[in-house]
Amino acid sequence: MTTPDELQRGETLNIEVTLRTLHPTIKDRPVGDIKGEVTIVIGGAQEQETVAVGLTNANYVFAGKNVLLTGGHAEITPTETGTYTFAPGEISVSTSDYPLKSVPKNPNPADSKTTVV
């Protein structure tokens, strides 16, 4: 997850998301066959959740290889000043023939933060 280091209150905060699978695909997948969404858990000055959409495989994926999904995007408009943290929550991935949902047993640690001034 990537967010800006600093932002003015009331400006749009863009959240860019990429996702690499932990397990390889069991068969070849053409470009765009895998689609994903990631719930983003926002903590700190303004606690909320949002969903990054648009994740997809931009490259052909051969069977037995892990998948890189790119193009995920979400945005919020911070109304409070302070530090915001961003952590992945539930992940949904689907292919042309198989849906998968990953729900964390425990909260994931934040992997990005932004200071709103």
Side-chain angles (χ1 to χ4, degrees), residues 25-99:
T25 183
I26 58 172
K27 67 180 193 177
D28 290 358
R29 298 287 176 183
V31 171
D33 185 55
I34 306 168
K35 305 206 180 324
E37 296 182 353
V38 176
T39 299
I40 301 169
V41 180
I42 302 168
Q46 184 177 323
E47 296 186 1
Q48 68 183 81
E49 290 186 359
T50 190
V51 177
V53 297
L55 284 160
T56 191
N57 61 307
N59 298 306
Y60 190 91
V61 182
F62 292 97
K65 299 294 182 181
N66 290 34
V67 179
L68 175 64
L69 301 177
T70 59
H73 178 81
E75 53 187 47
I76 64 166
T77 303
T79 58
E80 302 295 328
T81 59
T83 300
Y84 289 66
T85 59
F86 305 88
E90 185 176 287
I91 298 170
S92 297
V93 176
S94 61
T95 65
S96 56
D97 58 357
Y98 190 81

Side-chain angles (χ1 to χ4, degrees), residues 5-6 8 14 22 26 38 43 47 64 72 75-77 97 99-100 103-107:
D5 291 333
E6 188 174 285
Q8 294 291 318
N14 291 304
L22 295 175
I26 58 172
V38 176
E47 296 186 1
E75 53 187 47
I76 64 166
T77 303
D97 58 357
L100 173 69
V103 179
K105 290 181 183 176
N106 298 304

Side-chain angles (χ1 to χ4, degrees), residues 95-117:
T95 65
S96 56
D97 58 357
Y98 190 81
L100 173 69
K101 187 171 280 192
S102 173
V103 179
K105 290 181 183 176
N106 298 304
N108 286 308
D111 64 358
S112 185
K113 73 176 183 175
T114 297
T115 302
V116 176
V117 294

